[in-house]
Amino acid sequence: MNKHMTLNGKSIYVKSFGNGDPIVFLHGGPGGSHEFFLPFAERLAADHTIILYDQAGCGMSGAVEGDRYSIQDEVGNLEALRQELGLERMNLFGESWGSMLALSYAAKHPSHVEKIMLTAAIGLTNEAYAAFKTELLQKLGPFKKMRFMVNGMLHAIGINRTKQIFNLLDPYYVYSKETLKKKKHIPYNDVVQSKISKDIEESYNLLPHVKTLSSIPILIAQGSHDILTPLHIERFFKEHLPHVEIVEIGESGHWTVLEQPGEMASVAAFFFK
């Protein structure tokens, strides 16, 4: 199935294939696209129905009037998708910002979540998100940090610097720069990125919901060389959700499904079986 659905008054592009218990994939960014998960997700289609979608304003989904993008709006869109597809319970696979969306959805709708697998995870609070940005800037070093800030300011006043910013940051999202050769171009919505990032910075906090989240099986497959390493993730999660299982994906950075698709598929298949 490949089609647009009207969810909460928004045109959302949905793609599904495979057979078996559903896994809904939540892409990163914010502002990214479902295409990030292809062809990786196809490895799981023999035993699962794979559901990919572009979040509001992203990829092939329609823009939202007034640029109203937020965490809770995306939680609502995911719930509307569940209802539209007639799913009682879902497995969720969240990557980067998608990991925060998965946990935010589960905090509000725990009865509709079977299991959650996260990769390139961030944490449970805006403090963890701030730590991610701090670690990334430290990796850049002073010269590239200055270039990043200049490009960011130019972008903010309407001069498109998306390509230049990605060229600066992409090498720090991978373990091996060879990975960048197989990274395909993915459409990116800067407005969504800006709006939801601001929302994360101001309001993302799931600590009041840890009791709810503790009832849901959660596995985090984190790259050994991710910006937030497995040790960071253990610190950000274990104090509040000791039941969370953390698996280190060797020789991988932030983009585990690109660098280690075979190992990630094995981990996912075992977890979701």
Side-chain angles (χ1 to χ4, degrees):
M1 177 187 75
N2 301 277
K3 69 176 184 178
H4 284 84
M5 294 182 174
T6 300
L7 305 175
N8 292 332
K10 307 175 185 77
S11 177
I12 302 296
Y13 178 78
V14 182
K15 180 185 185 75
S16 70
F17 53 88
N19 295 283
D21 291 338
I23 305 175
V24 180
F25 286 76
L26 310 177
H27 66 71
S33 161
H34 80 276
E35 293 181 69
F36 175 82
F37 291 117
L38 295 171
F40 163 74
E42 295 169 0
R43 294 170 178 258
L44 302 172
D47 298 306
H48 296 277
T49 299
I50 304 303
I51 301 168
L52 308 168
Y53 74 102
D54 289 330
Q55 295 158 26
C58 300
M60 291 185 279
S61 290
V64 175
E65 185 178 354
D67 294 331
R68 295 188 301 272
Y69 302 104
S70 70
I71 299 170
Q72 288 309 313
D73 280 346
E74 282 308 319
V75 168
N77 296 338
L78 178 53
E79 171 61 7
L81 175 64
R82 180 196 69 78
Q83 294 180 22
E84 183 69 20
L85 295 177
L87 304 176
E88 180 59 31
R89 293 170 69 84
M90 305 179 290
N91 293 302
L92 300 177
F93 187 115
E95 190 268 345
S96 195
W97 138 248
S99 73
M100 292 184 272
L101 175 55
L103 294 169
S104 297
Y105 176 85
K108 189 168 184 178
H109 302 283
S111 63
H112 296 305
V113 178
E114 190 72 38
K115 295 180 179 180
I116 300 173
M117 180 171 172
L118 309 176
T119 191
I122 307 297
L124 296 165
T125 67
N126 50 11
E127 291 181 5
Y129 184 61
F132 175 87
K133 294 193 295 182
T134 298
E135 291 291 328
L136 178 57
L137 288 175
Q138 286 180 348
K139 288 179 181 293
L140 288 177
F143 177 65
K144 289 184 177 179
K145 186 187 298 184
M146 181 63 69
R147 289 176 59 193
F148 173 73
M149 293 175 69
V150 169
N151 279 299
M153 287 187 289
L154 290 172
H155 199 78
I157 62 173
I159 302 173
N160 192 316
R161 306 295 284 183
T162 300
K163 182 178 180 181
Q164 290 83 351
I165 291 171
F166 281 177
N167 286 342
L168 274 172
L169 297 182
D170 281 2
Y172 300 93
Y173 280 74
V174 294
Y175 171 79
S176 169
K177 291 183 181 180
E178 289 295 309
T179 305
L180 299 178
K181 295 179 181 179
K182 62 181 181 180
K183 177 180 178 278
K184 60 184 177 181
H185 172 73
I186 293 175
Y188 198 85
N189 188 317
D190 296 324
V191 175
V192 174
Q193 196 279 334
S194 176
K195 293 282 187 176
I196 293 184
S197 291
K198 184 178 180 181
D199 192 19
I200 294 169
E201 291 168 355
E202 294 179 350
S203 64
Y204 180 63
N205 179 19
L206 295 178
L207 295 187
H209 306 283
V210 292
K211 184 176 180 181
T212 298
L213 292 172
S214 66
S215 66
I216 301 170
I218 301 173
L219 180 143
I220 302 174
Q222 197 80 352
S224 57
H225 291 70
D226 199 342
I227 294 153
L228 292 181
T229 66
L231 284 177
H232 281 100
I233 294 305
E234 184 169 357
R235 178 161 59 89
F236 290 143
F237 278 91
K238 283 292 190 177
E239 177 184 354
H240 308 291
L241 293 172
H243 80 295
V244 168
E245 182 181 357
I246 300 172
V247 175
E248 180 175 311
I249 306 299
E251 298 187 357
S252 181
H254 197 65
W255 294 330
T256 53
V257 302
L258 291 181
E259 294 202 274
Q260 300 295 343
E263 183 175 356
M264 284 294 294
S266 295
V267 171
F270 183 79
F271 180 64
F272 288 128
K273 69 177 182 179

